[in-house]
DNA sequence: CCATTCATTCATTCATTCTCA
DNA sequence: GAGAATGAATGAATGAATGCG
């Protein structure tokens, strides 16, 4: 089943999809006009409503966007196009909700919560930024990490590593970080940015400049490489 | 690198580079003839179009390097070279036009926005400076801040701080500023300029002169650092 | 991973201060 | 005093950090 994406059913399980869809869209706009990120909303929310919600979202809720969007609609709908969010506990709700990346039933269930919260936030906002800040909890815009500045020496080393391998494993990065005495995370980000730069610098047709063996995925054991592990 | 100066690919990702390149060039000229800075355009733009593009975005769109400029062209491009390439004896001048910094795709995306905005701005301009001023919002040409002059005592203290740490955190700067009773911003700029001077004075190979503790990335946690206040 | 932001650096300008004739 | 030097202020460019999909 589910292979039947023709007409948008506007009612499922006694839930008015149209309405939810509408609300999700509006919600995003409202969120943006308060200058809040999904993360902020998510955190504030789970602080306010208890973490009960963010939990259930994670497991279940298969991606049932077909309930809400017809294929072609999805294309046009700039607000809610593709993707399944990164799973960040607090962030989960608003993110998935805005994407309508949940079952109609759950959506229906969260809607009033979001509505209530947003109304409150807006009220606070109107009555002064200070109040909003206070409402959404700690930092309204949690401050940026202080920009690291690498010493020329460190840069040299980083670059030489990069030339040898653009995708160092998590292990390698840890080592590099240790050797240079920078935060591992900082090193990780450096590689991300460096790859990005590389990509921009390499005009269209060009083959990836010299750096040989792209991703030697010669899986050396502890190659959990990816970024997730914190 | 980039030793491939043959024909400019004029189409990438379905984007006409030639056209974008052309436009970027023209845009800069148009901006300059209205006497506007990138920052002004950026601000006005995001005021007009909603949260949009920052100064750096404008910059990136306007400059568009390697993707768009062929080596020999770069030579002729008077705008580009006259800006980047004034040779100031004593200052090394960096290799120009070797890094590119925006994807054709993004460029394509911003183009119409810039075009529309610029057309409007020009119209305003024609119909009287007042209108332009109004259009771009804030001060069209706010005058230069008055040059601060530090007392010898202040300088001494500043320098001693600098020797200990060339990159004081926002917090530290605030303290220094307070102690010396200068504007925090002024102190910040002083450090920027001081670092610049240091760099000029330190020949290439040299290791960063004595000042130990290179750039404390070991940011002391609650580092409110940034400048946002005001 | 990509697009974007924003703090910082880089390059330049221009108000001062310093020379020296 | 006029020009050379100096350096605070500024505009542009860069890149580390972030958000989001």
């Amino acid at each position: 089943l589910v292979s039947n994406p023709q007409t948008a059913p506007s009612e499922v399980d006694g839930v008015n999809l149209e309405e939810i869809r509408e609300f999700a869209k509006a919600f995003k706009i409202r969120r943006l006009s308060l200058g809040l990120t999904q993360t902020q909303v998510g955190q504030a929310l789970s602080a306010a409503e208890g973490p009960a919600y963010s939990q259930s979202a994670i497991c279940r809720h298969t991606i049932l966007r077909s309930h809400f969007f017809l294929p072609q609609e999805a294309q046009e709908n700039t607000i809610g196009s593709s993707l399944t969010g990164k799973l960040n506990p607090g962030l989960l709700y608003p993110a998935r909700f805005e994407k309508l990346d949940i079952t109609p039933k759950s959506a229906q269930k969260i809607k009033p919560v979001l509505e209530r919260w947003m109304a409150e936030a807006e009220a606070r906002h109107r009555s002064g930024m200070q109040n909003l800040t206070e409402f959404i909890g700690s930092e309204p815009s949690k401050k940026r990490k202080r920009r690291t500045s690498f010493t020329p020496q460190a840069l040299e080393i980083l670059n030489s590593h990069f030339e040898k391998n653009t995708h160092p494993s998590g292990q390698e990065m840890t080592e590099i970080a240790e050797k240079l005495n920078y935060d591992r995370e900082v090193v990780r980000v450096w590689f991300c940015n460096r790859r990005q730069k590389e990509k921009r610098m390499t005009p269209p047709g060009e083959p990836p400049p010299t750096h040989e063996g792209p991703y030697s995925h010669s899986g050396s054991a502890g190659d959990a490489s990816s970024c997730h592990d914190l």
Side-chain angles (χ1 to χ4, degrees), chain A residues 184-185 188 226-230:
Chain A
R184 187 204 132 95
E185 174 63 8
R188 188 187 66 77
S226 282
C227 317
H228 299 194
D229 48 14
L230 104 93

Side-chain angles (χ1 to χ4, degrees), chain A residues 35-87:
Chain A
L36 299 177
T37 67
Q38 292 180 336
T39 311
Q40 285 176 315
V41 175
Q43 285 170 350
L45 207 62
S46 59
E49 306 282 338
Y53 276 117
S54 26
Q55 196 42 258
S56 60
I58 301 183
C59 336
R60 224 138 307 146
H61 310 330
T62 16
I63 305 167
L64 291 186
R65 300 187 47 239
S66 40
H67 274 297
F68 296 97
F69 294 108
L70 294 175
Q72 75 277 19
E73 234 180 321
Q75 294 288 6
E76 307 160 18
N77 187 318
T78 45
I79 296 274
S81 63
S82 66
L83 209 57
T84 19
K86 189 191 293 182
L87 305 186

